[in-house]
């Protein structure tokens, strides 16, 4: 049986398990039995819990079987404190998102990232967001080049994480094409969130192949079948987020292509209304795919 058929058969089995009433705890235990090593969890998946009870949430993350995580900010801790907390729970932060203003106005950010033990440091959005235009892209590109050079000097990789509005048509391409063109490949890389790429009407596989040397990491999440695409905004509909393998995105093909172009860092990001239920299902899908 080929890989795609195995994955389809597994998806059917998973739905049957849920219908028969197997508990989420059992799914979680199965997921913990083996997660593909490069797959981590974007902690924004449990953002409310992280800000409410950080220690208990980190324990949950480790119990799910994760070793690697991606941070969003510093959760009010010093880099040393946060790194110690993570290590106490068997977790390693390899990547983090910080706001645009942090990159443009905080000269100490490279040192903080080094203290956290990060490899990748990323910006997740642009000030204009849905109103992004050519001028905004050019301003961002200039700032990214400066920030990326500073990060590179400290042994870090800087990336930008598109959210959909970057794919508005521009000349013979998109604003994202302009951003790639105006950023220095030595200093500026990109993190692909496959949900947002599809949301904007783009094909993740084609985009990986168009810029094979620019992608360094990936957010894994799926989109409900029939959900609208071709939207140039960063507006998330939680009901459109489904576990990996249950939506309209060919997850296996995207991951295989990402590997072919050299991406080695992946993070599950679950932005559904019930991440604790859906994350284990996504883990089961990845384990069945054996990629």
């Amino acid at each position: 049986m080929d890989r795609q058929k195995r994955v389809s058969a597994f998806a059917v089995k998973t739905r049957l398990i849920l219908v028969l009433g197997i508990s989420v705890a059992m799914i979680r235990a199965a997921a913990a039995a083996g997660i593909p090593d490069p797959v981590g969890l974007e902690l924004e998946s449990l953002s409310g819990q992280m800000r409410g009870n950080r220690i208990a949430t980190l324990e949950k993350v480790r119990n799910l079987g994760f070793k690697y995580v991606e941070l969003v900010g510093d959760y009010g801790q010093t880099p040393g404190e946060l790194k110690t907390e993570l290590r106490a729970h068997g977790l390693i932060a390899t990547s983090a998102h910080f706001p645009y203003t942090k990159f443009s106005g905080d000269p100490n950010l490279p040192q903080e990232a080094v203290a956290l033990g990060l490899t990748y440091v990323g910006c997740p959005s642009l000030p204009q967001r849905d109103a992004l235009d050519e001028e905004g892209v050019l301003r961002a590109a200039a700032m990214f080049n400066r920030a990326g050079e500073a990060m590179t000097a400290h042994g870090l990789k800087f990336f930008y994480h598109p959210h959909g509005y970057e794919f508005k048509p521009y000349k013979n391409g998109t604003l994202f094409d302009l951003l790639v063109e105006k950023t220095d490949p030595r200093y500026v890389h990109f993190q692909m969130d496959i949900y947002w790429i599809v949301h904007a009407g783009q094909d993740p596989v084609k985009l990986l192949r168009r810029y094979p040397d620019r992608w360094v990491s990936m957010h894994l999440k799926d989109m409900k079948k029939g959900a609208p695409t071709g939207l140039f905004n960063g507006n998330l509909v939680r009901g459109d987020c489904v576990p990996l393998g249950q939506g309209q995105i060919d997850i296996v093909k995207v991951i295989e292509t990402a590997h072919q172009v050299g991406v080695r860092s992946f993070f599950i990001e679950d932005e559904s209304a019930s991440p604790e239920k859906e994350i284990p299902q996504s883990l089961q899908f990845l384990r069945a795919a054996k990629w």
Side-chain angles (χ1 to χ4, degrees):
M1 183 182 291
D2 64 21
R3 179 173 295 176
Q4 192 62 46
K5 289 180 180 177
R6 289 200 308 269
V7 172
S8 297
F10 177 79
V12 171
K13 290 178 183 178
T14 299
R15 285 193 289 271
L16 287 174
I17 287 171
L18 293 174
V19 169
L20 291 173
I22 300 299
S23 71
V24 172
M26 291 178 67
I27 296 174
R28 185 177 297 126
I35 297 174
D37 197 46
V39 177
L41 181 69
E42 162 56 72
L43 289 182
E44 188 67 8
S45 303
L46 303 171
S47 59
Q49 297 178 46
M50 276 296 292
R51 289 165 177 80
N53 191 332
R54 190 175 57 257
I55 301 300
T57 304
L58 293 178
E59 186 68 25
K60 288 180 184 179
V61 172
R62 186 54 186 160
N63 287 341
L64 282 166
F66 289 102
K67 178 179 179 181
Y68 302 106
V69 295
E70 182 175 64
L71 311 173
V72 177
D74 54 20
Y75 304 97
Q77 305 294 292
T78 67
E81 290 170 342
L82 185 53
K83 183 178 180 180
T84 297
E85 281 187 0
L86 290 168
R87 293 299 172 93
H89 291 85
L91 300 171
I92 300 171
T94 57
S95 181
H97 286 190
F98 294 97
Y100 186 95
T101 52
K102 185 89 168 170
F103 288 101
S104 62
D106 186 351
N108 296 319
L109 182 54
Q111 291 87 348
E112 292 178 21
V114 169
L116 280 166
L118 303 177
T119 300
Y120 307 102
V121 186
C123 177
S125 64
L126 299 178
Q128 283 185 292
R129 292 188 61 81
D130 297 1
L132 185 66
D133 56 15
E134 178 183 8
E135 183 180 350
V137 168
L138 295 178
R139 283 198 304 269
M143 192 277 280
F144 287 170
N145 286 330
R146 293 191 298 272
E149 186 172 7
M151 294 297 167
T152 301
H154 287 78
L156 302 161
K157 287 192 174 184
F158 169 82
F159 66 80
Y160 176 66
H161 172 110
H163 267 89
Y165 39 79
E166 305 87 351
F167 294 95
K168 292 177 183 176
Y170 173 79
K171 294 186 177 178
N172 294 324
T174 68
L175 288 174
F176 180 75
D177 294 319
L178 177 64
L179 183 60
V180 173
E181 176 190 342
K182 296 299 182 180
T183 49
D184 191 325
R186 296 174 298 172
Y187 305 133
V188 180
H189 311 279
F190 296 92
Q191 179 182 69
M192 178 178 285
D193 183 313
I194 58 178
Y195 180 100
W196 289 116
I197 299 301
V198 173
H199 177 82
Q202 299 291 309
D203 183 331
V205 169
K206 290 181 179 179
L207 204 56
L208 285 164
R209 290 174 178 164
R210 187 184 309 159
Y211 299 113
D213 301 323
R214 302 301 296 270
W215 304 101
V216 293
S217 61
M218 178 173 283
H219 276 191
L220 299 173
K221 59 179 185 253
D222 210 342
M223 179 184 292
K224 182 177 70 176
K225 294 176 181 178
T229 60
L231 307 174
F232 306 123
N233 61 57
N235 298 330
L236 181 82
V237 178
R238 292 197 180 276
D240 287 347
C241 297
V242 296
L244 299 179
Q246 297 185 26
Q248 62 179 281
I249 303 174
D250 188 343
I251 303 295
V252 172
K253 187 174 182 180
V254 173
I255 292 176
E256 287 179 341
T257 306
H259 268 280
Q260 290 167 9
V261 303
V263 176
R264 294 293 181 268
S265 181
F266 300 82
F267 298 96
I268 291 174
E269 183 181 33
D270 192 303
E271 296 193 89
S272 70
S274 53
E276 286 194 72
K277 176 181 177 182
E278 296 200 0
I279 291 170
Q281 295 177 53
S282 292
L283 289 172
Q284 284 280 44
F285 174 84
L286 291 178
R287 290 177 63 237
K290 298 179 180 178
W291 61 277

